[in-house]
Amino acid sequence: MDSDLPDLDNLRAVAVLVATEAAELAAEKQVVAGEQVRTKSSRTDVVTAVDTAVEELLRRRLAELRPSDSVLGEEAGLSATDSSAGDGQQLRWVVDPIDGTVNFLYGIPWYAVSVAVVRGAETLAGAVVEPASGRVWSASLGGGATVDGRPLAVSGAEELSLALVSTGFGYQAERRGRQGALAASLLSEVRDIRRFGSAALDLCAVAAGWCDGYYEHAINHWDWAAGALIATEAGAVVHPPDPAAPFGNAIVAATPGIVVPLTEVLVALGAETV
Ligand code: LIP
């Protein structure tokens, strides 16, 4: 363990605290489909007034608790105080106020507040909190992963043909079509596929053994930062998105017994061009 690491238990506690406060606000303000909604990259890429309010709360509380750190958020971008490109020592909080926005918009209770803290490319701690169920997922680097305080461990799957794999699709219709074609091709190679609608919770599901693997192209750092650490600390192998990867700019997270055949079949099915 790097001797100059900050207090990881404290960072985890801060992530859990602010994500829980944000989840309570989101639960109070459950939006009704069609209200207070505007769009971003496409007509299906929606942001609600609640997204904005929740991110504002996260930023305010992190400024109070961690004033020397910077924040990168889905709605308001990178804080002006960010200097992490300098000596690389500044901590950056990477937050998604509502991951699973469309589920939230439709009243589907499968969305989460995701909060991670990174130094450079390394995630030090993270929390994913579900407003609907109140479940609290968290992890710290080397400190294990838990849900509501209970230790998490990935499944023991060892055969891809018997693996339950989740994925997701983007907001651009043309890419969504390519993603759908890849998922259709993958179906005959695995037990089944699930599309839950939240990358953060897809990664938590792998950590809990509810799915054996997850992959998705073109998601953002705030979607996967916390969930990837939770899955890793639960025993998953996680390949963060990398445009140079042979399976394209996708995150892949899976229990060790199937991660190699999963990545190999994604490559064979043309994932690089999705
Ligand atoms: C969502 C991701 C999900 C993906 C959706 C969307 P958002 O993030 O969590 O995995 O399939 O298209 O990107 O927009 O709800 O924060």
Side-chain angles (χ1 to χ4, degrees), residues 14-35:
V14 169
V16 169
L17 175 63
V18 301
T20 300
E21 292 176 359
E24 288 166 356
L25 177 63
E28 288 167 17
K29 291 182 174 285
Q30 169 67 50
V31 73
V32 176
E35 285 183 5

Side-chain angles (χ1 to χ4, degrees), residues 44-61:
T44 59
D45 184 2
V46 295
V47 56
T48 71
V50 181
D51 287 272
T52 303
V54 169
E55 184 165 322
E56 286 170 355
L57 180 150
L58 288 168
R59 288 177 180 271
R60 176 170 55 77
R61 292 291 284 135

